Amino acid sequence: MRSVLKFITFLGVTLLAFTHLGTWIPLADSLSLGRPILLAAGLVIVIALLFFGLKRWAAGVLVAVIASGVVTWGDFAGGAVRGSGPLRLYQKNMLWNGATPEAILADILSTDADFVTLQETSSINQLVLDGLEERFPHRLACASQGNGGIALLSRYPLTPSGAGCSLGSGIVIAQAEVPEIGQIWVGSVHLNWPYPFTQASQVPKILHGLETLDGPIVIAGDFNMIPWGSSVRRIAETAGAVRVGGYLSTFPGFGAHLPFAIDHTLIPQGWQGAVDIRPLAGSDHYGLVLSFGP
């Protein structure tokens, strides 16, 4: 029994370590979705090892679990300074074939947002874009891989960058001139699902575009990845940004027992921000409202 337990322990610790290699191995990013389960299983294994007198093995597993847990918790908690700001951004994956786009339009209009980042724009939900034209006269829209397109709407004039609108890159980003704050970059992101889909090939293109930008960067969107996934972390680091909020479940499509937090908001390091959940309004994603500022 001790040899079987050692074998299970070796496999478990190896798999846990593997989930931290998503930057280099796309499959590892996909498996990182199950890291909390592996961490909980690791604690059970520690107890089992102690029961069978394998103290050194138990100590090794405990160190691995603590190290992995600390890294995961840092991403889980978000790194932004907690607090509201003078600017508001509404984020929403609208669902390209959603049945009630008018509910999304009403929700956006009720939030008094300065910026709107949208994903899965389509002819079916075009009335949302049309209904926001007066309040948000400055806008950019791009085609993207997957269902529908991505869009950025703003109350303030926008200067586009070359970082967006490359088919499949998954980002549209522009610089806005905001009174009393100055110029800030605002981006709308839509990544595909991780391995075996194409998220890993999208991210380097986005990173390359972000590296060309100067000034504070705010990004919101459907990342199709949980907070501790490598894509979220790499985009935030390249943008000089941090994620706002803790673990906010934004995609209920897999049921109550799998609360997926895959829509995120990123603000510049040192800025403060707070994020709130908005209703589904006919979509398969909850909306987010970000209050932020320097």
Side-chain angles (χ1 to χ4, degrees):
M1 182 64 187
R2 286 161 62 98
S3 60
V4 173
L5 182 57
K6 287 181 178 180
F7 180 71
I8 293 173
T9 299
F10 174 77
L11 288 180
V13 172
T14 300
L15 184 57
L16 178 61
F18 185 73
T19 66
H20 289 270
L21 302 179
T23 300
W24 306 279
I25 306 173
L27 176 60
D29 235 9
S30 296
L31 293 178
S32 70
L33 297 170
R35 191 185 300 161
I37 297 174
L38 291 173
L39 291 171
L43 295 176
V44 173
I45 289 175
V46 168
I47 295 172
L49 290 168
L50 290 173
F51 180 81
F52 283 96
L54 298 169
K55 295 182 180 180
R56 290 185 178 179
W57 279 71
V61 174
L62 184 59
V63 168
V65 168
I66 291 174
S68 177
V70 167
V71 172
T72 304
W73 175 255
D75 294 326
F76 178 97
V81 177
R82 177 71 183 180
S84 61
L87 297 175
R88 291 170 69 84
L89 180 151
Y90 184 103
Q91 152 58 27
K92 183 75 167 184
N93 180 322
M94 295 195 292
L95 182 61
W96 72 274
N97 61 349
T100 58
E102 65 277 2
I104 296 175
L105 174 59
D107 192 43
I108 295 173
L109 291 173
S110 73
T111 62
D112 193 32
D114 299 287
F115 304 98
V116 179
T117 53
L118 300 173
Q119 299 82 45
E120 296 198 22
T121 59
S122 69
S123 59
I124 295 175
N125 54 44
Q126 180 63 36
L127 73 84
V128 176
L129 297 176
D130 293 343
L132 296 173
E133 187 170 4
E134 182 176 353
R135 183 171 294 189
F136 301 94
H138 310 285
R139 54 184 58 195
L140 291 171
C142 298
S144 67
Q145 290 180 343
N147 297 322
I150 52 179
L152 166 64
L153 314 180
S154 172
R155 287 183 171 181
Y156 307 107
L158 295 174
T159 302
S161 86
C165 282
S166 172
L167 183 61
S169 70
I171 187 171
V172 55
I173 190 165
Q175 194 171 53
E177 183 69 41
V178 180
E180 299 182 2
I181 292 180
Q183 295 178 331
I184 64 171
W185 293 97
V186 183
S188 175
V189 166
H190 191 193
L191 300 182
N192 294 323
W193 281 95
Y195 182 88
F197 298 96
T198 58
Q199 185 175 118
S201 64
Q202 285 181 291
V203 172
K205 299 176 183 178
I206 291 175
L207 300 183
H208 177 72
L210 293 176
E211 288 170 348
T212 67
L213 307 181
D214 290 321
I217 301 174
V218 176
I219 297 176
D222 174 9
F223 286 70
N224 272 318
M225 176 53 67
I226 34 78
W228 53 87
S230 71
S231 58
V232 180
R233 182 181 65 255
R234 294 167 70 194
I235 289 173
E237 289 176 350
T238 303
V242 290
R243 197 177 65 84
V244 181
Y247 193 90
L248 299 175
S249 178
T250 60
F251 183 74
F254 295 119
H257 299 295
L258 288 173
F260 269 23
I262 59 175
D263 299 77
H264 308 291
T265 57
L266 311 176
I267 62 174
Q269 293 182 13
W271 287 28
Q272 63 181 18
V275 64
D276 295 311
I277 293 282
R278 301 298 298 180
L280 288 173
S283 175
D284 55 349
H285 288 246
Y286 291 104
L288 297 174
V289 170
L290 168 68
S291 300
F292 67 101

Short mmCIF file of all heavy atoms in Angstrom, two decimals, residues 245-277:
data_model
loop_
_atom_site.label_atom_id
_atom_site.label_comp_id
_atom_site.label_asym_id
_atom_site.label_seq_id
_atom_site.Cartn_x
_atom_site.Cartn_y
_atom_site.Cartn_z
N GLY A 245 -10.28 42.84 -8.66
CA GLY A 245 -11.27 41.97 -8.03
C GLY A 245 -10.74 40.58 -7.74
O GLY A 245 -9.66 40.19 -8.18
N GLY A 246 -11.52 39.83 -6.99
CA GLY A 246 -11.18 38.45 -6.67
C GLY A 246 -11.70 37.51 -7.73
O GLY A 246 -11.62 37.79 -8.92
N TYR A 247 -12.27 36.39 -7.28
CA TYR A 247 -12.78 35.38 -8.22
C TYR A 247 -14.26 35.65 -8.46
O TYR A 247 -15.12 35.28 -7.65
CB TYR A 247 -12.57 33.98 -7.66
CG TYR A 247 -12.78 32.88 -8.67
CD1 TYR A 247 -11.71 32.42 -9.44
CD2 TYR A 247 -14.03 32.31 -8.88
CE1 TYR A 247 -11.89 31.43 -10.38
CE2 TYR A 247 -14.22 31.32 -9.81
CZ TYR A 247 -13.14 30.87 -10.56
OH TYR A 247 -13.32 29.88 -11.50
N LEU A 248 -14.56 36.34 -9.55
CA LEU A 248 -15.94 36.68 -9.89
C LEU A 248 -16.42 35.74 -11.00
O LEU A 248 -15.96 35.82 -12.13
CB LEU A 248 -16.02 38.13 -10.36
CG LEU A 248 -15.59 39.19 -9.34
CD1 LEU A 248 -15.61 40.57 -9.97
CD2 LEU A 248 -16.47 39.15 -8.11
N SER A 249 -17.33 34.85 -10.66
CA SER A 249 -17.83 33.89 -11.64
C SER A 249 -18.66 34.62 -12.69
O SER A 249 -19.69 35.22 -12.38
CB SER A 249 -18.69 32.83 -10.95
OG SER A 249 -19.21 31.92 -11.89
N THR A 250 -18.21 34.57 -13.94
CA THR A 250 -18.88 35.32 -15.01
C THR A 250 -19.51 34.43 -16.07
O THR A 250 -20.20 34.92 -16.95
CB THR A 250 -17.89 36.27 -15.69
OG1 THR A 250 -16.81 35.51 -16.25
CG2 THR A 250 -17.35 37.29 -14.70
N PHE A 251 -19.24 33.12 -16.01
CA PHE A 251 -19.77 32.21 -17.02
C PHE A 251 -20.42 31.02 -16.32
O PHE A 251 -19.73 30.10 -15.87
CB PHE A 251 -18.66 31.72 -17.95
CG PHE A 251 -19.15 30.83 -19.07
CD1 PHE A 251 -19.84 31.36 -20.14
CD2 PHE A 251 -18.93 29.46 -19.04
CE1 PHE A 251 -20.30 30.55 -21.16
CE2 PHE A 251 -19.38 28.64 -20.06
CZ PHE A 251 -20.07 29.18 -21.12
N PRO A 252 -21.75 31.00 -16.22
CA PRO A 252 -22.45 29.93 -15.51
C PRO A 252 -22.81 28.74 -16.40
O PRO A 252 -23.57 27.87 -15.99
CB PRO A 252 -23.72 30.63 -15.02
CG PRO A 252 -24.01 31.64 -16.10
CD PRO A 252 -22.66 32.10 -16.62
N GLY A 253 -22.24 28.69 -17.60
CA GLY A 253 -22.66 27.69 -18.57
C GLY A 253 -22.40 26.25 -18.18
O GLY A 253 -23.02 25.33 -18.73
N PHE A 254 -21.48 26.02 -17.25
CA PHE A 254 -21.17 24.65 -16.82
C PHE A 254 -21.85 24.28 -15.51
O PHE A 254 -21.55 23.25 -14.91
CB PHE A 254 -19.66 24.46 -16.69
CG PHE A 254 -18.93 24.59 -18.00
CD1 PHE A 254 -17.98 25.57 -18.19
CD2 PHE A 254 -19.22 23.74 -19.06
CE1 PHE A 254 -17.31 25.70 -19.40
CE2 PHE A 254 -18.57 23.86 -20.27
CZ PHE A 254 -17.61 24.84 -20.44
N GLY A 255 -22.76 25.13 -15.04
CA GLY A 255 -23.52 24.80 -13.85
C GLY A 255 -22.95 25.42 -12.59
O GLY A 255 -21.83 25.93 -12.56
N ALA A 256 -23.74 25.34 -11.52
CA ALA A 256 -23.39 25.99 -10.26
C ALA A 256 -22.14 25.40 -9.62
O ALA A 256 -21.46 26.06 -8.83
CB ALA A 256 -24.56 25.90 -9.29
N HIS A 257 -21.83 24.14 -9.94
CA HIS A 257 -20.68 23.48 -9.31
C HIS A 257 -19.37 23.79 -10.03
O HIS A 257 -18.31 23.38 -9.57
CB HIS A 257 -20.91 21.97 -9.26
CG HIS A 257 -22.11 21.58 -8.46
ND1 HIS A 257 -22.20 21.80 -7.10
CD2 HIS A 257 -23.28 21.00 -8.82
CE1 HIS A 257 -23.37 21.37 -6.65
NE2 HIS A 257 -24.04 20.89 -7.68
N LEU A 258 -19.43 24.50 -11.16
CA LEU A 258 -18.23 24.91 -11.89
C LEU A 258 -18.31 26.41 -12.17
O LEU A 258 -18.56 26.83 -13.30
CB LEU A 258 -18.10 24.11 -13.20
CG LEU A 258 -17.71 22.64 -13.06
CD1 LEU A 258 -17.80 21.95 -14.43
CD2 LEU A 258 -16.29 22.50 -12.50
N PRO A 259 -18.11 27.21 -11.14
CA PRO A 259 -18.20 28.67 -11.31
C PRO A 259 -16.96 29.22 -12.01
O PRO A 259 -15.92 29.39 -11.39
CB PRO A 259 -18.31 29.18 -9.87
CG PRO A 259 -17.57 28.16 -9.06
CD PRO A 259 -17.77 26.84 -9.76
N PHE A 260 -17.08 29.50 -13.29
CA PHE A 260 -15.94 29.94 -14.08
C PHE A 260 -15.81 31.46 -14.08
O PHE A 260 -16.74 32.17 -14.47
CB PHE A 260 -16.07 29.44 -15.52
CG PHE A 260 -15.43 28.10 -15.75
CD1 PHE A 260 -15.24 27.21 -14.71
CD2 PHE A 260 -15.01 27.74 -17.01
CE1 PHE A 260 -14.65 25.98 -14.92
CE2 PHE A 260 -14.42 26.50 -17.24
CZ PHE A 260 -14.24 25.62 -16.19
N ALA A 261 -14.66 31.95 -13.67
CA ALA A 261 -14.34 33.38 -13.76
C ALA A 261 -13.44 33.57 -14.98
O ALA A 261 -12.23 33.36 -14.90
CB ALA A 261 -13.63 33.85 -12.50
N ILE A 262 -14.02 33.94 -16.11
CA ILE A 262 -13.23 34.03 -17.35
C ILE A 262 -13.32 35.40 -18.01
O ILE A 262 -12.67 35.63 -19.02
CB ILE A 262 -13.65 32.94 -18.35
CG1 ILE A 262 -15.12 33.04 -18.72
CG2 ILE A 262 -13.32 31.56 -17.81
CD1 ILE A 262 -15.55 32.05 -19.80
N ASP A 263 -14.11 36.32 -17.45
CA ASP A 263 -14.14 37.70 -17.92
C ASP A 263 -13.39 38.55 -16.89
O ASP A 263 -13.67 38.46 -15.69
CB ASP A 263 -15.58 38.20 -18.06
CG ASP A 263 -16.37 37.40 -19.06
OD1 ASP A 263 -16.79 36.26 -18.72
OD2 ASP A 263 -16.57 37.88 -20.18
N HIS A 264 -12.47 39.39 -17.37
CA HIS A 264 -11.60 40.11 -16.44
C HIS A 264 -11.43 41.56 -16.85
O HIS A 264 -11.62 41.93 -18.02
CB HIS A 264 -10.22 39.45 -16.39
CG HIS A 264 -10.26 37.98 -16.11
ND1 HIS A 264 -10.65 37.46 -14.90
CD2 HIS A 264 -9.96 36.90 -16.90
CE1 HIS A 264 -10.59 36.15 -14.95
NE2 HIS A 264 -10.19 35.79 -16.14
N THR A 265 -11.05 42.37 -15.87
CA THR A 265 -10.70 43.77 -16.12
C THR A 265 -9.30 44.02 -15.56
O THR A 265 -8.99 43.60 -14.44
CB THR A 265 -11.71 44.73 -15.45
OG1 THR A 265 -11.78 44.47 -14.05
CG2 THR A 265 -13.10 44.55 -16.07
N LEU A 266 -8.48 44.72 -16.33
CA LEU A 266 -7.10 45.02 -15.94
C LEU A 266 -6.91 46.53 -15.95
O LEU A 266 -7.35 47.21 -16.89
CB LEU A 266 -6.12 44.38 -16.93
CG LEU A 266 -6.31 42.90 -17.29
CD1 LEU A 266 -5.28 42.49 -18.35
CD2 LEU A 266 -6.18 42.03 -16.06
N ILE A 267 -6.26 47.04 -14.92
CA ILE A 267 -5.98 48.48 -14.85
C ILE A 267 -4.50 48.68 -14.56
O ILE A 267 -3.82 47.77 -14.09
CB ILE A 267 -6.83 49.17 -13.76
CG1 ILE A 267 -6.51 48.63 -12.37
CG2 ILE A 267 -8.31 49.04 -14.08
CD1 ILE A 267 -7.20 49.38 -11.24
N PRO A 268 -3.97 49.88 -14.85
CA PRO A 268 -2.54 50.11 -14.64
C PRO A 268 -2.11 49.88 -13.19
O PRO A 268 -2.88 50.15 -12.25
CB PRO A 268 -2.37 51.58 -15.03
CG PRO A 268 -3.49 51.85 -15.98
CD PRO A 268 -4.63 51.04 -15.48
N GLN A 269 -0.91 49.38 -13.01
CA GLN A 269 -0.37 49.20 -11.67
C GLN A 269 -0.35 50.53 -10.92
O GLN A 269 0.03 51.56 -11.47
CB GLN A 269 1.04 48.64 -11.75
CG GLN A 269 1.12 47.23 -12.30
CD GLN A 269 2.53 46.69 -12.33
OE1 GLN A 269 3.44 47.26 -11.75
NE2 GLN A 269 2.72 45.57 -13.02
N GLY A 270 -0.78 50.48 -9.67
CA GLY A 270 -0.83 51.69 -8.86
C GLY A 270 -2.16 52.41 -8.91
O GLY A 270 -2.43 53.27 -8.06
N TRP A 271 -3.00 52.09 -9.90
CA TRP A 271 -4.34 52.68 -9.96
C TRP A 271 -5.26 51.90 -9.02
O TRP A 271 -4.93 50.79 -8.58
CB TRP A 271 -4.89 52.63 -11.38
CG TRP A 271 -4.26 53.62 -12.32
CD1 TRP A 271 -2.99 54.12 -12.26
CD2 TRP A 271 -4.87 54.23 -13.45
NE1 TRP A 271 -2.76 54.99 -13.28
CE2 TRP A 271 -3.89 55.09 -14.04
CE3 TRP A 271 -6.12 54.14 -14.05
CZ2 TRP A 271 -4.15 55.83 -15.19
CZ3 TRP A 271 -6.38 54.89 -15.19
CH2 TRP A 271 -5.41 55.72 -15.74
N GLN A 272 -6.41 52.47 -8.74
CA GLN A 272 -7.37 51.77 -7.90
C GLN A 272 -8.61 51.44 -8.72
O GLN A 272 -8.96 52.13 -9.69
CB GLN A 272 -7.75 52.60 -6.68
CG GLN A 272 -8.44 53.92 -6.98
CD GLN A 272 -8.75 54.70 -5.71
OE1 GLN A 272 -8.19 54.43 -4.65
NE2 GLN A 272 -9.67 55.66 -5.80
N GLY A 273 -9.27 50.35 -8.34
CA GLY A 273 -10.45 49.93 -9.09
C GLY A 273 -11.32 48.98 -8.29
O GLY A 273 -10.87 48.35 -7.33
N ALA A 274 -12.56 48.92 -8.68
CA ALA A 274 -13.53 47.99 -8.10
C ALA A 274 -14.44 47.52 -9.22
O ALA A 274 -14.74 48.28 -10.14
CB ALA A 274 -14.33 48.67 -6.99
N VAL A 275 -14.86 46.28 -9.14
CA VAL A 275 -15.68 45.72 -10.21
C VAL A 275 -16.92 45.05 -9.63
O VAL A 275 -16.86 44.43 -8.56
CB VAL A 275 -14.86 44.71 -11.06
CG1 VAL A 275 -14.44 43.51 -10.25
CG2 VAL A 275 -15.61 44.30 -12.31
N ASP A 276 -18.03 45.22 -10.31
CA ASP A 276 -19.31 44.64 -9.89
C ASP A 276 -19.89 43.79 -11.02
O ASP A 276 -19.68 44.08 -12.21
CB ASP A 276 -20.31 45.74 -9.52
CG ASP A 276 -19.87 46.54 -8.31
OD1 ASP A 276 -19.50 45.92 -7.30
OD2 ASP A 276 -19.88 47.78 -8.39
N ILE A 277 -20.64 42.77 -10.63
CA ILE A 277 -21.31 41.88 -11.58
C ILE A 277 -22.62 42.50 -12.05
O ILE A 277 -23.36 43.08 -11.26
CB ILE A 277 -21.59 40.51 -10.92
CG1 ILE A 277 -20.28 39.79 -10.62
CG2 ILE A 277 -22.48 39.66 -11.81
CD1 ILE A 277 -19.64 39.13 -11.82
#
